Amino acid sequence: MSQPQLGGAERDLYRDTWVRYLGYANEVGEAFRSLVPVAVVWLSYGVASSYVLADAIDKGKKAGEDFLPLPPWIKCLCAHQVPSPEAGRSTRVTVAVVDTFVWQALASVAIPGFTINRVCAASLYVLGTATRWPLAVRKWTTTAIGLLTIPIIIHPIDRSVDFLLDSSLRKLYPSVGKPSSS
């Protein structure tokens, strides 16, 4: 989750409240994969993906609201000298939506979902070969291992995705639309 708000700044619904945990729904689904029907796991991906999309749309709206277009009378005076303010606004909105969507899709859905899936698959395999525990006990143990792994992987994945985007996609953004770090 984000750092505490300073100086009365507005709380971000998608980063600073309980809503943030909806982005982890797919990890919980992956942890329970051995115990629930696969449709439940896919539903958890639907919840997490909806969270990602909602956050991207929210950041796009905020980027559009933060942009103050020129009043019509200034547009007339500067029509030949200043690029359209709408072009800057749409660039900021596009960059905000794309950056948030890609960051959240990687950091909240794809990478952690894959990681928990592999941790659970490996632990189920190891428990199956190294113990004589009943299958139900092995599955519940695998689920517990998956759930306990979630808080451990969150921050390293977030920082890795920041580094990845800073090293690639964010270099392509026009300077007018560069988002602040996720």
Side-chain angles (χ1 to χ4, degrees):
M1 300 248 293
S2 298
Q3 280 79 23
Q5 299 295 314
L6 301 174
E10 183 182 336
R11 284 180 59 169
D12 185 339
L13 174 68
Y14 295 95
R15 309 263 173 116
D16 301 323
T17 70
W18 65 269
V19 174
R20 175 68 180 109
Y21 296 109
L22 294 175
Y24 303 129
N26 65 304
E27 287 110 289
V28 174
E30 286 294 348
F32 279 94
R33 182 181 282 274
S34 66
L35 295 170
V36 299
V38 74
V40 173
V41 177
W42 286 111
L43 178 64
S44 72
Y45 274 89
V47 170
S49 297
S50 296
Y51 162 81
V52 168
L53 187 58
D55 190 23
I57 291 168
D58 178 64
K59 297 306 176 285
K61 285 182 180 178
K62 287 180 180 174
E65 291 168 358
D66 289 346
F67 191 82
L68 299 174
L70 295 173
W73 61 273
I74 292 180
K75 285 183 191 177
C76 293
L77 294 174
C78 304
H80 300 290
Q81 301 168 11
V82 178
S84 163
E86 279 305 307
R89 179 180 183 273
S90 63
T91 299
R92 286 180 56 149
V93 169
T94 300
V95 167
V97 169
V98 168
D99 189 75
T100 302
F101 184 82
V102 171
W103 190 92
Q104 287 284 14
L106 290 172
S108 295
V109 180
I111 297 171
F114 175 79
T115 303
I116 297 300
N117 178 284
R118 295 294 82 205
V119 165
C120 290
S123 65
L124 189 59
Y125 174 77
V126 168
L127 290 172
T129 58
T131 71
R132 294 181 184 259
W133 295 351
L135 181 58
V137 172
R138 292 193 313 256
K139 286 182 176 184
W140 277 104
T141 303
T142 294
T143 299
I145 290 169
L147 291 172
L148 291 170
T149 302
I150 295 170
I152 296 168
I153 67 170
I154 292 170
H155 293 296
I157 289 174
D158 288 357
R159 299 297 61 91
S160 297
V161 171
D162 280 335
F163 177 78
L164 174 68
L165 292 185
D166 287 345
S167 302
S168 60
L169 183 63
R170 290 179 179 156
K171 289 185 175 191
L172 303 175
Y173 298 152
S175 60
V176 69
K178 289 200 186 290
S180 57
S181 187
S182 298

